[in-house]
Amino acid sequence: MRRPMVAGNWKMHGSEAANSALLSELEMRLQPEWPIDVAVFPPFVYLAEVVRRLRGASVGVGAQDVCAEPGGAFTGEVAGSMLRDVGCTLVIVGHSERRRWYHEDDAVVARKFGAALAAGLTPVLCVGETLEEREAGMTETVIARQLDAVLAMNGVATLAEAIVAYEPVWAIGTGRNASPDQAEAVHAFVRRRIAEQNATIGGRVRILYGGSVKAANAAELFSMPDVDGGLVGGASLVADEFHQICAAAAASH
Ligand code: PEP
């Protein structure tokens, strides 16, 4: 049985005051005994403070991005070792907003994935198709290309230490989530693709769904056999919504 996970991607939102209020509310509501992993992904500048704040709580902290290089003359970038240094354990790589607005291609994402692992971080690898790609019947082709780039550069064994997030681009921040059947079809495809190279890892890897997950749709999405929880954007900024999504994940176990 794979342990469900709920990951809250705060994107470029927050302030010291807002983060503190959100974390206080979450700490009151989240039940440490729930059989799930919960993590939040604040912007870089708040990571150290959020780690300090959550010390002793059963909530992990991750970054939203990492530099592909281990360190050096790369102004504005943040190395994986620095994220580890301030207490992060996870990092998102290949989010569609990074792919789209910062032109991160599959090769860069694969290098970031490797850099995260080299620094001792668990990468959360995002894959997903655009609406045009889905409508052209290319969903599996696109997901396979994104996944294969990581597998080819890093090897299938690295997936044992990673999490995959299926995030259809057309569902992110749009209020239009994939249906449970649409999500399940892609999750099963991702699992099969990994299992073709290593059946054990394919069976064990956690695959999160992301794209307009809310309290109202979490339970039906998480009830699908290959959906192991969610990567949640907007709803992770609302304590009651996020708490209800975590409760749905716990109930799906
Ligand atoms: C995301 O940021 O990864 C995401 C899925 O956002 P939202 O839940 O707001 O669609």
Side-chain angles (χ1 to χ4, degrees), residues 7-11 92 95-97 126 165-177 209-214 230-237 245:
N9 175 13
W10 292 3
K11 309 197 189 197
I92 296 171
H95 192 282
S96 67
E97 289 154 14
C126 297
Y166 168 53
E167 295 212 310
V169 179
W170 47 272
I172 299 178
T174 59
R176 176 187 168 192
N177 60 287
Y209 167 78
S212 298
V213 175
K214 303 184 261 309
L231 177 52
V232 183
S236 72
L237 298 168
I245 293 166

mmCIF file of all heavy atoms in Angstrom, residues 7-11 92 95-97 126 165-177 209-214 230-237 245, ligand 1:
data_model
loop_
_atom_site.group_PDB
_atom_site.id
_atom_site.type_symbol
_atom_site.label_atom_id
_atom_site.label_comp_id
_atom_site.label_asym_id
_atom_site.label_seq_id
_atom_site.Cartn_x
_atom_site.Cartn_y
_atom_site.Cartn_z
ATOM 1 N N ALA A 7 0.614 17.643 -0.994
ATOM 2 C CA ALA A 7 1.672 18.643 -1.069
ATOM 3 C C ALA A 7 1.055 19.984 -1.442
ATOM 4 O O ALA A 7 0.311 20.068 -2.420
ATOM 5 C CB ALA A 7 2.697 18.220 -2.130
ATOM 6 N N GLY A 8 1.336 21.000 -0.657
ATOM 7 C CA GLY A 8 0.761 22.327 -0.899
ATOM 8 C C GLY A 8 1.771 23.260 -1.551
ATOM 9 O O GLY A 8 2.748 23.664 -0.910
ATOM 10 N N ASN A 9 1.547 23.565 -2.819
ATOM 11 C CA ASN A 9 2.436 24.477 -3.552
ATOM 12 C C ASN A 9 1.906 25.897 -3.387
ATOM 13 O O ASN A 9 0.900 26.261 -3.990
ATOM 14 C CB ASN A 9 2.450 24.072 -5.036
ATOM 15 C CG ASN A 9 3.248 25.053 -5.883
ATOM 16 O OD1 ASN A 9 3.980 25.894 -5.359
ATOM 17 N ND2 ASN A 9 3.097 24.940 -7.198
ATOM 18 N N TRP A 10 2.602 26.682 -2.580
ATOM 19 C CA TRP A 10 2.135 28.052 -2.305
ATOM 20 C C TRP A 10 2.392 29.000 -3.469
ATOM 21 O O TRP A 10 1.939 30.135 -3.454
ATOM 22 C CB TRP A 10 2.817 28.593 -1.044
ATOM 23 C CG TRP A 10 2.405 27.915 0.224
ATOM 24 C CD1 TRP A 10 1.541 26.856 0.358
ATOM 25 C CD2 TRP A 10 2.835 28.238 1.562
ATOM 26 N NE1 TRP A 10 1.411 26.504 1.677
ATOM 27 C CE2 TRP A 10 2.191 27.327 2.447
ATOM 28 C CE3 TRP A 10 3.695 29.187 2.099
ATOM 29 C CZ2 TRP A 10 2.388 27.349 3.827
ATOM 30 C CZ3 TRP A 10 3.892 29.218 3.475
ATOM 31 C CH2 TRP A 10 3.245 28.312 4.332
ATOM 32 N N LYS A 11 3.170 28.547 -4.443
ATOM 33 C CA LYS A 11 3.551 29.413 -5.585
ATOM 34 C C LYS A 11 4.099 30.742 -5.058
ATOM 35 O O LYS A 11 4.664 30.778 -3.974
ATOM 36 C CB LYS A 11 2.365 29.638 -6.522
ATOM 37 C CG LYS A 11 1.677 28.352 -6.937
ATOM 38 C CD LYS A 11 0.808 28.551 -8.137
ATOM 39 C CE LYS A 11 -0.020 27.313 -8.382
ATOM 40 N NZ LYS A 11 -0.571 27.273 -9.719
ATOM 41 N N ILE A 92 10.069 20.580 -5.833
ATOM 42 C CA ILE A 92 9.304 20.389 -7.082
ATOM 43 C C ILE A 92 10.243 20.650 -8.261
ATOM 44 O O ILE A 92 10.984 21.636 -8.263
ATOM 45 C CB ILE A 92 8.117 21.377 -7.137
ATOM 46 C CG1 ILE A 92 7.120 21.097 -6.004
ATOM 47 C CG2 ILE A 92 7.425 21.315 -8.501
ATOM 48 C CD1 ILE A 92 6.023 22.160 -5.865
ATOM 49 N N HIS A 95 7.627 21.930 -12.786
ATOM 50 C CA HIS A 95 6.250 22.459 -12.732
ATOM 51 C C HIS A 95 5.934 23.134 -14.065
ATOM 52 O O HIS A 95 6.808 23.779 -14.666
ATOM 53 C CB HIS A 95 6.120 23.452 -11.572
ATOM 54 C CG HIS A 95 4.692 23.809 -11.276
ATOM 55 N ND1 HIS A 95 3.997 24.703 -12.047
ATOM 56 C CD2 HIS A 95 3.841 23.366 -10.326
ATOM 57 C CE1 HIS A 95 2.760 24.804 -11.565
ATOM 58 N NE2 HIS A 95 2.637 23.998 -10.527
ATOM 59 N N SER A 96 4.708 23.023 -14.515
ATOM 60 C CA SER A 96 4.380 23.560 -15.853
ATOM 61 C C SER A 96 4.610 25.064 -15.936
ATOM 62 O O SER A 96 4.878 25.587 -17.027
ATOM 63 C CB SER A 96 2.941 23.219 -16.226
ATOM 64 O OG SER A 96 2.052 23.894 -15.383
ATOM 65 N N GLU A 97 4.503 25.750 -14.790
ATOM 66 C CA GLU A 97 4.762 27.205 -14.837
ATOM 67 C C GLU A 97 6.250 27.472 -15.078
ATOM 68 O O GLU A 97 6.611 28.455 -15.739
ATOM 69 C CB GLU A 97 4.249 27.872 -13.549
ATOM 70 C CG GLU A 97 2.718 27.896 -13.531
ATOM 71 C CD GLU A 97 2.090 27.937 -12.158
ATOM 72 O OE1 GLU A 97 2.789 28.216 -11.164
ATOM 73 O OE2 GLU A 97 0.867 27.668 -12.061
ATOM 74 N N CYS A 126 6.994 16.985 -11.923
ATOM 75 C CA CYS A 126 5.695 17.289 -12.532
ATOM 76 C C CYS A 126 5.721 16.981 -14.022
ATOM 77 O O CYS A 126 6.666 17.361 -14.731
ATOM 78 C CB CYS A 126 5.356 18.763 -12.355
ATOM 79 S SG CYS A 126 5.166 19.255 -10.650
ATOM 80 N N ALA A 165 4.175 13.861 -10.075
ATOM 81 C CA ALA A 165 2.884 14.557 -10.004
ATOM 82 C C ALA A 165 2.362 14.733 -11.423
ATOM 83 O O ALA A 165 3.043 15.343 -12.260
ATOM 84 C CB ALA A 165 3.034 15.905 -9.320
ATOM 85 N N TYR A 166 1.180 14.180 -11.675
ATOM 86 C CA TYR A 166 0.534 14.421 -12.965
ATOM 87 C C TYR A 166 -0.288 15.692 -12.829
ATOM 88 O O TYR A 166 -1.246 15.743 -12.049
ATOM 89 C CB TYR A 166 -0.366 13.252 -13.373
ATOM 90 C CG TYR A 166 -1.259 13.609 -14.546
ATOM 91 C CD1 TYR A 166 -0.716 14.137 -15.719
ATOM 92 C CD2 TYR A 166 -2.643 13.451 -14.479
ATOM 93 C CE1 TYR A 166 -1.526 14.497 -16.785
ATOM 94 C CE2 TYR A 166 -3.462 13.798 -15.547
ATOM 95 C CZ TYR A 166 -2.895 14.330 -16.694
ATOM 96 O OH TYR A 166 -3.695 14.700 -17.746
ATOM 97 N N GLU A 167 0.107 16.709 -13.582
ATOM 98 C CA GLU A 167 -0.582 17.993 -13.520
ATOM 99 C C GLU A 167 -0.948 18.436 -14.937
ATOM 100 O O GLU A 167 -0.129 19.077 -15.623
ATOM 101 C CB GLU A 167 0.318 19.047 -12.873
ATOM 102 C CG GLU A 167 0.655 18.772 -11.422
ATOM 103 C CD GLU A 167 0.824 20.068 -10.647
ATOM 104 O OE1 GLU A 167 1.567 20.950 -11.103
ATOM 105 O OE2 GLU A 167 0.186 20.201 -9.603
ATOM 106 N N PRO A 168 -2.152 18.100 -15.390
ATOM 107 C CA PRO A 168 -2.556 18.586 -16.711
ATOM 108 C C PRO A 168 -2.561 20.119 -16.706
ATOM 109 O O PRO A 168 -3.166 20.732 -15.824
ATOM 110 C CB PRO A 168 -3.963 18.012 -16.897
ATOM 111 C CG PRO A 168 -4.419 17.536 -15.561
ATOM 112 C CD PRO A 168 -3.211 17.350 -14.704
ATOM 113 N N VAL A 169 -1.885 20.716 -17.666
ATOM 114 C CA VAL A 169 -1.704 22.171 -17.658
ATOM 115 C C VAL A 169 -3.054 22.885 -17.681
ATOM 116 O O VAL A 169 -3.242 23.913 -17.026
ATOM 117 C CB VAL A 169 -0.818 22.595 -18.859
ATOM 118 C CG1 VAL A 169 -0.626 24.104 -18.882
ATOM 119 C CG2 VAL A 169 0.534 21.883 -18.809
ATOM 120 N N TRP A 170 -4.009 22.302 -18.388
ATOM 121 C CA TRP A 170 -5.325 22.927 -18.534
ATOM 122 C C TRP A 170 -6.128 22.888 -17.235
ATOM 123 O O TRP A 170 -7.187 23.535 -17.140
ATOM 124 C CB TRP A 170 -6.119 22.241 -19.653
ATOM 125 C CG TRP A 170 -6.087 20.731 -19.589
ATOM 126 C CD1 TRP A 170 -5.144 19.924 -20.155
ATOM 127 C CD2 TRP A 170 -6.999 19.866 -18.909
ATOM 128 N NE1 TRP A 170 -5.420 18.608 -19.874
ATOM 129 C CE2 TRP A 170 -6.552 18.540 -19.111
ATOM 130 C CE3 TRP A 170 -8.155 20.073 -18.153
ATOM 131 C CZ2 TRP A 170 -7.221 17.435 -18.576
ATOM 132 C CZ3 TRP A 170 -8.821 18.974 -17.615
ATOM 133 C CH2 TRP A 170 -8.347 17.676 -17.835
ATOM 134 N N ALA A 171 -5.656 22.153 -16.253
ATOM 135 C CA ALA A 171 -6.393 22.049 -14.985
ATOM 136 C C ALA A 171 -5.754 22.882 -13.879
ATOM 137 O O ALA A 171 -6.340 23.028 -12.806
ATOM 138 C CB ALA A 171 -6.453 20.578 -14.546
ATOM 139 N N ILE A 172 -4.573 23.430 -14.133
ATOM 140 C CA ILE A 172 -3.867 24.153 -13.063
ATOM 141 C C ILE A 172 -4.398 25.570 -12.949
ATOM 142 O O ILE A 172 -4.333 26.355 -13.899
ATOM 143 C CB ILE A 172 -2.343 24.170 -13.321
ATOM 144 C CG1 ILE A 172 -1.809 22.741 -13.339
ATOM 145 C CG2 ILE A 172 -1.634 25.006 -12.264
ATOM 146 C CD1 ILE A 172 -0.335 22.639 -13.641
ATOM 147 N N GLY A 173 -4.955 25.876 -11.786
ATOM 148 C CA GLY A 173 -5.431 27.229 -11.508
ATOM 149 C C GLY A 173 -6.642 27.633 -12.322
ATOM 150 O O GLY A 173 -6.993 28.810 -12.382
ATOM 151 N N THR A 174 -7.293 26.679 -12.972
ATOM 152 C CA THR A 174 -8.419 27.019 -13.851
ATOM 153 C C THR A 174 -9.773 26.720 -13.207
ATOM 154 O O THR A 174 -10.806 27.109 -13.741
ATOM 155 C CB THR A 174 -8.344 26.202 -15.160
ATOM 156 O OG1 THR A 174 -8.379 24.800 -14.818
ATOM 157 C CG2 THR A 174 -7.078 26.504 -15.937
ATOM 158 N N GLY A 175 -9.750 25.952 -12.112
ATOM 159 C CA GLY A 175 -11.014 25.532 -11.506
ATOM 160 C C GLY A 175 -11.603 24.329 -12.218
ATOM 161 O O GLY A 175 -12.651 23.812 -11.832
ATOM 162 N N ARG A 176 -10.924 23.868 -13.269
ATOM 163 C CA ARG A 176 -11.431 22.720 -14.052
ATOM 164 C C ARG A 176 -10.492 21.538 -13.822
ATOM 165 O O ARG A 176 -9.452 21.434 -14.481
ATOM 166 C CB ARG A 176 -11.454 23.123 -15.530
ATOM 167 C CG ARG A 176 -11.869 22.026 -16.451
ATOM 168 C CD ARG A 176 -11.713 22.451 -17.897
ATOM 169 N NE ARG A 176 -11.852 21.290 -18.764
ATOM 170 C CZ ARG A 176 -11.548 21.269 -20.046
ATOM 171 N NH1 ARG A 176 -11.090 22.366 -20.635
ATOM 172 N NH2 ARG A 176 -11.693 20.171 -20.748
ATOM 173 N N ASN A 177 -10.853 20.676 -12.899
ATOM 174 C CA ASN A 177 -9.978 19.531 -12.616
ATOM 175 C C ASN A 177 -10.196 18.421 -13.638
ATOM 176 O O ASN A 177 -11.245 18.356 -14.288
ATOM 177 C CB ASN A 177 -10.250 18.988 -11.202
ATOM 178 C CG ASN A 177 -11.682 18.514 -11.018
ATOM 179 O OD1 ASN A 177 -12.595 19.325 -10.933
ATOM 180 N ND2 ASN A 177 -11.884 17.207 -10.975
ATOM 181 N N TYR A 209 -1.919 13.674 -8.047
ATOM 182 C CA TYR A 209 -2.653 14.437 -9.062
ATOM 183 C C TYR A 209 -2.656 15.912 -8.664
ATOM 184 O O TYR A 209 -2.909 16.248 -7.492
ATOM 185 C CB TYR A 209 -4.111 13.941 -9.210
ATOM 186 C CG TYR A 209 -4.895 14.935 -10.020
ATOM 187 C CD1 TYR A 209 -4.756 14.975 -11.401
ATOM 188 C CD2 TYR A 209 -5.689 15.908 -9.399
ATOM 189 C CE1 TYR A 209 -5.398 15.951 -12.146
ATOM 190 C CE2 TYR A 209 -6.337 16.883 -10.138
ATOM 191 C CZ TYR A 209 -6.187 16.899 -11.515
ATOM 192 O OH TYR A 209 -6.797 17.883 -12.255
ATOM 193 N N GLY A 210 -2.416 16.798 -9.614
ATOM 194 C CA GLY A 210 -2.503 18.231 -9.360
ATOM 195 C C GLY A 210 -3.258 18.928 -10.472
ATOM 196 O O GLY A 210 -3.108 18.603 -11.656
ATOM 197 N N GLY A 211 -4.069 19.909 -10.080
ATOM 198 C CA GLY A 211 -4.855 20.664 -11.061
ATOM 199 C C GLY A 211 -6.237 20.886 -10.510
ATOM 200 O O GLY A 211 -7.112 20.025 -10.629
ATOM 201 N N SER A 212 -6.412 22.054 -9.816
ATOM 202 C CA SER A 212 -7.720 22.431 -9.255
ATOM 203 C C SER A 212 -8.271 21.399 -8.268
ATOM 204 O O SER A 212 -9.486 21.159 -8.232
ATOM 205 C CB SER A 212 -8.720 22.728 -10.378
ATOM 206 O OG SER A 212 -8.264 23.829 -11.155
ATOM 207 N N VAL A 213 -7.376 20.790 -7.468
ATOM 208 C CA VAL A 213 -7.863 19.932 -6.378
ATOM 209 C C VAL A 213 -8.468 20.840 -5.309
ATOM 210 O O VAL A 213 -7.884 21.853 -4.928
ATOM 211 C CB VAL A 213 -6.715 19.093 -5.759
ATOM 212 C CG1 VAL A 213 -7.234 18.308 -4.546
ATOM 213 C CG2 VAL A 213 -6.115 18.154 -6.792
ATOM 214 N N LYS A 214 -9.653 20.459 -4.841
ATOM 215 C CA LYS A 214 -10.357 21.219 -3.810
ATOM 216 C C LYS A 214 -10.955 20.229 -2.818
ATOM 217 O O LYS A 214 -11.009 19.029 -3.100
ATOM 218 C CB LYS A 214 -11.511 22.034 -4.429
ATOM 219 C CG LYS A 214 -11.120 22.987 -5.514
ATOM 220 C CD LYS A 214 -12.309 23.797 -5.984
ATOM 221 C CE LYS A 214 -12.984 23.310 -7.246
ATOM 222 N NZ LYS A 214 -12.275 23.031 -8.421
ATOM 223 N N GLY A 230 -2.417 14.385 -3.667
ATOM 224 C CA GLY A 230 -2.507 15.555 -4.531
ATOM 225 C C GLY A 230 -1.388 16.554 -4.354
ATOM 226 O O GLY A 230 -0.796 16.673 -3.274
ATOM 227 N N LEU A 231 -1.097 17.252 -5.444
ATOM 228 C CA LEU A 231 -0.255 18.449 -5.396
ATOM 229 C C LEU A 231 -1.239 19.608 -5.570
ATOM 230 O O LEU A 231 -1.898 19.722 -6.604
ATOM 231 C CB LEU A 231 0.791 18.419 -6.514
ATOM 232 C CG LEU A 231 1.711 19.642 -6.660
ATOM 233 C CD1 LEU A 231 2.391 20.018 -5.357
ATOM 234 C CD2 LEU A 231 2.767 19.379 -7.731
ATOM 235 N N VAL A 232 -1.352 20.412 -4.539
ATOM 236 C CA VAL A 232 -2.448 21.371 -4.436
ATOM 237 C C VAL A 232 -1.893 22.795 -4.472
ATOM 238 O O VAL A 232 -1.011 23.128 -3.675
ATOM 239 C CB VAL A 232 -3.200 21.147 -3.102
ATOM 240 C CG1 VAL A 232 -4.398 22.082 -3.002
ATOM 241 C CG2 VAL A 232 -3.622 19.689 -2.951
ATOM 242 N N GLY A 233 -2.393 23.615 -5.378
ATOM 243 C CA GLY A 233 -1.960 25.003 -5.450
ATOM 244 C C GLY A 233 -2.877 25.901 -4.635
ATOM 245 O O GLY A 233 -2.764 26.004 -3.415
ATOM 246 N N GLY A 234 -3.823 26.541 -5.311
ATOM 247 C CA GLY A 234 -4.687 27.545 -4.679
ATOM 248 C C GLY A 234 -5.306 27.105 -3.356
ATOM 249 O O GLY A 234 -5.301 27.855 -2.372
ATOM 250 N N ALA A 235 -5.807 25.883 -3.325
ATOM 251 C CA ALA A 235 -6.508 25.429 -2.118
ATOM 252 C C ALA A 235 -5.558 25.180 -0.940
ATOM 253 O O ALA A 235 -6.010 25.033 0.195
ATOM 254 C CB ALA A 235 -7.308 24.159 -2.430
ATOM 255 N N SER A 236 -4.241 25.166 -1.211
ATOM 256 C CA SER A 236 -3.309 24.956 -0.092
ATOM 257 C C SER A 236 -3.108 26.239 0.702
ATOM 258 O O SER A 236 -2.493 26.226 1.775
ATOM 259 C CB SER A 236 -1.961 24.439 -0.595
ATOM 260 O OG SER A 236 -1.235 25.451 -1.269
ATOM 261 N N LEU A 237 -3.643 27.354 0.189
ATOM 262 C CA LEU A 237 -3.501 28.633 0.894
ATOM 263 C C LEU A 237 -4.682 28.910 1.804
ATOM 264 O O LEU A 237 -4.733 29.932 2.487
ATOM 265 C CB LEU A 237 -3.371 29.768 -0.132
ATOM 266 C CG LEU A 237 -2.140 29.679 -1.037
ATOM 267 C CD1 LEU A 237 -2.249 30.654 -2.192
ATOM 268 C CD2 LEU A 237 -0.862 29.921 -0.245
ATOM 269 N N ILE A 245 -8.764 18.465 2.323
ATOM 270 C CA ILE A 245 -8.091 17.652 1.290
ATOM 271 C C ILE A 245 -7.214 16.600 1.965
ATOM 272 O O ILE A 245 -7.184 15.434 1.547
ATOM 273 C CB ILE A 245 -7.277 18.573 0.343
ATOM 274 C CG1 ILE A 245 -8.237 19.457 -0.473
ATOM 275 C CG2 ILE A 245 -6.376 17.756 -0.575
ATOM 276 C CD1 ILE A 245 -7.577 20.631 -1.187
HETATM 277 C C1 PEP B 1 -0.157 23.706 -8.778
HETATM 278 O O1 PEP B 1 0.242 24.817 -8.522
HETATM 279 O O2 PEP B 1 0.659 22.784 -8.929
HETATM 280 C C2 PEP B 1 -1.600 23.463 -8.878
HETATM 281 C C3 PEP B 1 -2.028 22.255 -9.120
HETATM 282 O O3 PEP B 1 -2.417 24.561 -8.718
HETATM 283 P P1 PEP B 1 -4.023 24.551 -8.479
HETATM 284 O O4 PEP B 1 -4.299 23.529 -7.421
HETATM 285 O O5 PEP B 1 -4.336 25.938 -8.026
HETATM 286 O O6 PEP B 1 -4.659 24.193 -9.765
#
